[in-house]
Amino acid sequence: MSVPIALTIAGSDSSAGAGLQADLKTFAANGTYGLNVVTCIVAETPEVVSEIYPLPPVILQRQLTLLLDSYPVGALKTGMLYSKAHIVAVCELLEDSEIPIVVDPVMVASTGDPLLEESALDALTNRLLSIATVITPNLPEAGILLGCPVLSLAEQEKAAHGLAEKFSCACYLKGGHLKDSSEHRDLLVHETGMEIFTAPHIDLPSTHGTGCTLSAALTAGLAKGQSLSESAALAHAFTHRALARSHSWKNKNSEEIWHLDQNQRS
Ligand code: PXL
């Protein structure tokens, strides 16, 4: 049997809980072979982003062209793209592609540091989102994309439909930023309706990498030929288990979610 291939276009997180490292671990844990295109090198931990070093957009294109020419990619995702030039570089190569595209519209790190330049927002909304099969914003990102904040469960539902319509794609809207509930509610709006995924709130000092993990698991599902609905259910369950198994080290502030061997760590 041939192994399904998932590809990520993302930044490198030195602490490996987010970014392309989270994506590759998630791809592997979900039965796919992962490929990666690096956009930026980020010196960071869950507590601090100390440096962002963007690679030249042409180097991004060389990686992506080579991989698309060499492998039967089943699905791909974009994560941290950082600048307008990086977004345009990706769109130039993917605009005519038939591969399902998951766009995680990464804007801000869990530390609050920006991971997208302000001048890139136009290219994100006008070019990248229009080639997405499914987008996976969190509530602050949804607010920016729609031009109005999303602050309640009712607004979340309206926003998920609004985004799907505005960008003519499916929308998996993550509800984790609503703080007034013991339960988190994510919504998937797609052609045939809306699905709701709920999970109990887990109190953690850091949720670094959660968004990357969810969009990567969704991409793995699509790469395996699962429907959007099945892929979303897989992604939701996988991310919840990874968060529930978060690991921290003695005398160290860092805490990282656990992607691999979900049945082996309790
Ligand atoms: O979680 C968003 C994200 C995406 N990509 C990279 C990151 C982060 C968060 O820190 O470092 C490279």
Side-chain angles (χ1 to χ4, degrees):
M1 197 199 82
S2 132
V3 177
I5 295 178
L7 183 154
T8 178
I9 304 171
S12 167
D13 166 10
S14 48
S15 62
L20 71 88
Q21 289 80 4
D23 296 341
L24 291 180
K25 285 186 267 187
T26 302
F27 290 160
N30 285 286
T32 56
Y33 184 81
L35 300 173
N36 63 249
V37 168
V38 190
T39 60
C40 298
I41 295 170
V42 187
E44 64 175 317
T45 66
E47 293 77 36
V48 60
V49 174
S50 79
E51 191 74 40
I52 296 176
Y53 180 80
L55 296 177
V58 67
I59 299 300
L60 182 167
Q61 286 194 325
R62 296 264 161 79
Q63 299 170 77
L64 185 54
T65 304
L66 183 62
L67 294 177
L68 293 176
D69 286 348
S70 311
Y71 295 87
V73 174
L76 66 84
K77 66 158 276 189
T78 65
M80 176 186 181
L81 294 173
Y82 189 60
S83 82
K84 177 178 175 176
H86 289 79
I87 293 173
V88 170
V90 169
C91 292
E92 279 175 359
L93 297 182
L94 293 181
E95 250 146 17
D96 297 322
S97 166
E98 305 267 284
I99 300 170
I101 301 176
V102 178
V103 175
D104 185 11
V106 173
M107 295 182 191
V108 178
S110 45
T111 55
D113 293 274
L115 298 178
L116 182 77
E117 292 183 333
E118 252 179 73
S119 56
L121 196 57
D122 247 21
L124 178 78
T125 52
N126 294 324
R127 288 199 66 175
L128 186 63
L129 295 184
S130 65
I131 60 168
T133 308
V134 52
I135 61 175
T136 62
N138 58 32
L139 295 179
E141 290 159 354
I144 290 168
L145 296 175
L146 286 167
C148 64
V150 187
L151 302 171
S152 66
L153 286 176
E155 287 175 1
Q156 185 192 2
E157 196 166 322
K158 210 167 139 224
H161 283 99
L163 287 166
E165 195 172 320
K166 182 169 179 179
F167 298 108
S168 304
C169 61
C171 177
Y172 185 105
L173 181 51
K174 298 170 285 189
H177 285 76
L178 281 184
K179 294 280 179 264
D180 56 349
S181 160
S182 60
E183 191 176 73
H184 288 308
R185 195 180 74 155
D186 293 351
L187 300 178
L188 173 69
V189 169
H190 55 110
E191 273 171 354
T192 49
M194 185 177 84
E195 288 171 57
I196 302 175
F197 301 97
T198 56
H201 174 72
I202 304 173
D203 204 16
L204 291 168
S206 159
T207 54
H208 181 70
T210 316
C212 306
T213 299
L214 183 118
S215 55
L218 187 54
T219 308
L222 296 176
K224 290 192 283 192
Q226 295 181 352
S227 69
L228 189 52
S229 172
E230 288 169 321
S231 303
L234 171 153
H236 179 260
F238 181 81
T239 306
H240 185 71
R241 285 199 304 271
L243 268 169
R245 287 165 171 70
S246 281
H247 185 76
S248 58
W249 290 268
K250 250 191 207 154
N251 305 324
K252 180 104 190 48
N253 293 328
S254 292
E255 168 144 312
E256 295 287 1
I257 65 173
W258 189 268
H259 301 88
L260 296 172
D261 298 328
Q262 290 206 343
N263 299 322
Q264 285 175 23
R265 275 200 81 237
S266 52

